[in-house]
Amino acid sequence: MNRKNLIKAEPELIKFFKSLWPFEIQTEKESLNIEIGQNKREIWAFPLSGGSEYIDDAIHAMEEHRKVIPAALNRCIDKIDGAFLVGYYAKKVKEDEYEHGLVIIPANRGSKELNSRLLTDFCFERNSLYENMLSEEYFSQINCFLNAYKSVCKKYWIQDTKLINTSFVKRPEIIDDELFPEQAAISTWHTEVYPDFMRPVSMIGDIYIDFMICDHKLICLMNEIEDDDTIWNFFEEECIKKIYTLPASISNNSANINLKGWCETTSFELSERKDLNYKTIYDIAVPGLKGALIDQGYSIGWCGKIAFICIGIDKPLYVSPELVVQLSDIFDFEQAGNDNKAFWRNRDIEYRRRFGNHNLVKVCDDLMTEEIAKEKLFEACKKVLQSCKNPLKPIQKGITKYVLRYLKGLARGSYEKQASELIVKINSDQICADLQETIYSILNL
């Protein structure tokens, strides 16, 4: 293949691409600057190996797989609508070790608005979409490319493609941890129970995109085209005769999370995320927490938040990167730990005091919605009633501790008056009949 087969993209083609792309596109002289994501959004990333590789092996593998991308795009060019960008990524996981694989960014629906919903929704906003993944034309086109990619790799004996996890699996039914506490986490890549190939864009590493399909045309996005690039020889093998050129640079509009050393939170934030068993975890960040960022791999979920461990607190808080600033030093660790514990202990109350009501309460050290706290309170009440059936059994503090636990949580929210009165009543009950009466009052809460 030679340069006469390269055709400069026409203005109409660029206009069509911009009409579909949900992020920002800036024109810079003879090239475009294409934004591919934001720090709170997800991206499609398919690992090309079952683990990480040393840098030399990773570079060789990426070069091998890079030249497959345009050939695979060309094979399915008539079946993919709109715009469809494909490249590769490299993420450093250890010193001199890298995970690498494919990145796919589709904008193959008919408008910028439709593509924006699919490319930018948070994970916990898209349950209905996920349930219909298998029937969505949007996802079938992604599968079309992946099948073409694996077919090209097989034809030219390029390895590792059999290890790509491309199954659009249904979310598994999660069994309560209390019934099966030994249940293993459901993900080979420690993300969530969603497919392994969804990653936060701010955690994917370096991304390189050289080709895309737009309006059923194969387009080269390289700024510099070198005649000795082996990719052109591969094009001749695949009989690719026509390629459009649109020089472009790819930018990731993510906040800088390369913070080192000690850090501090600067503001309040309410957030929720999914754990490995697809259970919702709630967080409330408050300003003044001192600590450091920790590497939680892919377990941070699709929300793009970072794990921040506070001095004196044994569990991470997940916050947006822009809420964290770097400190020169902590100076007084004991005082910082005491301050953190006070902020952490009253984070739900402090947020409500500043910004008004929210639906979260703190039970022991866990945040949950008031609705869930009430459900757990009622469950605990039913167990207490079972214990009260035996009139000879003395009232033990142990049978009411779970009831008190959830009442104390609800007393921190909109049920403050009723819950506080019931706490006083339970603590003053001396006999089973009194306790039963109080429990029935709680069940009518």
Side-chain angles (χ1 to χ4, degrees):
M1 182 174 182
N2 54 49
R3 288 182 180 271
K4 69 181 182 180
N5 297 101
L6 301 176
I7 305 169
K8 185 176 180 179
E10 299 173 348
E12 290 77 13
L13 183 59
I14 299 173
K15 184 178 179 180
F16 178 72
F17 175 50
K18 289 183 176 181
S19 72
L20 298 176
W21 196 249
F23 297 124
E24 187 173 356
I25 298 178
Q26 294 181 343
T27 302
E28 299 177 351
K29 294 182 180 180
E30 298 297 320
S31 68
L32 299 180
N33 184 296
I34 304 170
E35 182 185 324
I36 61 170
Q38 298 167 340
N39 59 299
K40 296 182 180 178
R41 308 305 185 183
E42 78 269 7
I43 198 169
W44 297 80
F46 295 82
L48 282 171
S49 62
S52 58
E53 296 182 332
Y54 287 106
I55 186 168
D56 291 341
D57 295 330
I59 290 173
H60 173 75
M62 284 191 294
E63 187 62 28
E64 283 291 291
H65 291 97
R66 164 181 169 265
K67 62 187 180 184
V68 180
I69 291 171
L73 284 171
N74 192 65
R75 286 193 178 193
C76 53
I77 196 169
D78 295 328
K79 299 176 183 177
I80 294 179
D81 299 322
F84 195 85
L85 280 69
V86 181
Y88 59 91
Y89 74 90
K91 175 180 171 58
K92 187 175 183 178
V93 291
K94 293 181 182 178
E95 189 64 33
D96 292 329
E97 286 190 34
Y98 290 79
E99 176 194 312
H100 57 95
L102 295 178
V103 167
I104 299 177
I105 310 176
N108 51 356
R109 286 196 159 184
S111 70
K112 180 181 294 189
E113 291 72 27
L114 289 173
N115 287 319
S116 177
R117 287 212 301 271
L118 287 169
L119 285 172
T120 64
D121 281 351
F122 289 103
C123 60
F124 46 80
E125 294 172 345
R126 55 190 295 165
N127 289 340
S128 60
L129 170 65
Y130 187 85
E131 295 297 335
N132 297 318
M133 278 179 73
L134 298 177
S135 61
E136 284 277 348
E137 181 66 19
Y138 175 85
F139 298 102
S140 68
Q141 293 183 32
I142 294 174
N143 256 340
C144 176
F145 168 78
L146 290 171
N147 290 333
Y149 185 90
K150 288 187 281 188
S151 177
V152 176
C153 286
K154 183 177 181 181
K155 176 180 177 181
Y156 295 100
W157 295 89
I158 297 174
Q159 302 301 309
D160 293 339
T161 54
K162 64 187 177 187
L163 296 174
I164 301 176
N165 179 2
T166 60
S167 299
F168 289 87
V169 295
K170 291 184 178 181
R171 185 189 304 127
E173 180 181 354
I174 302 303
I175 302 173
D176 195 288
D177 291 341
E178 294 179 1
L179 298 177
F180 294 94
E182 73 283 357
Q183 182 185 12
I186 307 173
S187 179
T188 56
W189 287 91
H190 311 296
T191 49
E192 292 146 2
V193 297
Y194 284 99
D196 288 342
F197 42 75
M198 295 304 294
R199 307 291 175 84
V201 70
S202 61
M203 297 293 285
I204 201 61
D206 296 324
I207 298 174
Y208 310 89
I209 298 177
D210 293 330
F211 289 90
M212 74 170 176
I213 291 175
C214 187
D215 195 22
H216 304 290
K217 298 176 177 65
L218 182 61
I219 299 174
C220 176
L221 300 174
M222 295 181 191
N223 279 284
E224 296 182 6
I225 298 175
E226 300 176 359
D227 291 330
D228 60 350
D229 193 328
T230 57
I231 199 169
W232 307 122
N233 298 331
F234 199 69
F235 279 19
E236 292 179 4
E237 292 284 343
E238 284 292 297
C239 299
I240 298 175
K241 302 294 185 182
K242 184 186 293 185
I243 299 178
Y244 291 81
T245 62
L246 178 59
S249 57
I250 306 297
S251 65
N252 176 3
N253 185 25
S254 294
N256 181 9
I257 61 172
N258 295 318
L259 297 171
K260 304 295 183 182
W262 300 111
C263 303
E264 182 178 12
T265 56
T266 60
S267 185
F268 292 87
E269 183 179 55
L270 263 176
S271 62
E272 60 182 285
R273 58 188 171 85
K274 305 296 183 183
D275 67 8
L276 292 174
N277 286 330
Y278 194 66
K279 291 184 177 180
T280 302
I281 305 296
Y282 299 95
D283 283 322
I284 298 179
V286 295
L289 295 170
K290 295 181 175 63
L293 303 183
I294 57 174
D295 184 5
Q296 289 269 295
Y298 304 121
S299 64
I300 72 167
W302 293 358
C303 61
K305 296 183 185 298
I306 52 179
F308 180 79
I309 192 76
C310 309
I311 297 171
I313 308 297
D314 61 359
K315 62 173 64 175
L317 173 70
Y318 289 80
V319 297
S320 297
E322 58 267 25
L323 263 65
V324 180
V325 296
Q326 194 161 332
L327 296 176
S328 58
D329 204 346
I330 295 295
F331 301 111
D332 191 335
F333 279 83
E334 182 177 358
Q335 184 61 47
N338 291 335
D339 291 343
N340 282 345
K341 290 175 183 177
F343 293 146
W344 186 263
R345 183 167 55 248
N346 294 315
R347 59 195 187 276
D348 58 323
I349 294 175
E350 187 63 21
Y351 189 98
R352 184 178 286 107
R353 185 178 73 83
R354 298 288 188 93
F355 303 103
N357 285 335
H358 56 79
N359 68 336
L360 299 180
V361 293
K362 190 169 78 71
V363 177
C364 295
D365 201 31
D366 296 322
L367 292 170
M368 62 184 68
T369 64
E370 289 186 336
E371 182 180 354
I372 292 175
K374 282 183 65 177
E375 290 176 0
K376 291 183 177 292
L377 171 64
F378 294 164
E379 291 173 7
C381 286
K382 292 173 183 177
K383 292 179 181 178
V384 172
L385 289 176
Q386 287 292 115
S387 300
C388 288
K389 285 183 177 180
N390 180 2
L392 299 178
K393 185 174 182 179
I395 298 296
Q396 298 291 328
K397 186 177 181 181
I399 69 172
T400 59
K401 68 177 181 179
Y402 294 105
V403 172
L404 289 169
R405 174 181 298 176
Y406 294 107
L407 279 176
K408 289 175 181 177
L410 290 169
R412 300 170 72 97
S414 58
Y415 292 90
E416 179 181 2
K417 185 176 185 298
Q418 303 100 306
S420 297
E421 292 174 351
L422 288 166
I423 290 171
V424 173
K425 185 72 170 63
I426 284 183
N427 287 329
S428 63
D429 287 338
Q430 299 296 320
I431 61 174
C432 280
D434 292 340
L435 181 60
Q436 284 178 312
E437 182 181 346
T438 303
I439 295 299
Y440 285 125
S441 298
I442 294 173
L443 293 174
N444 292 323
L445 189 64

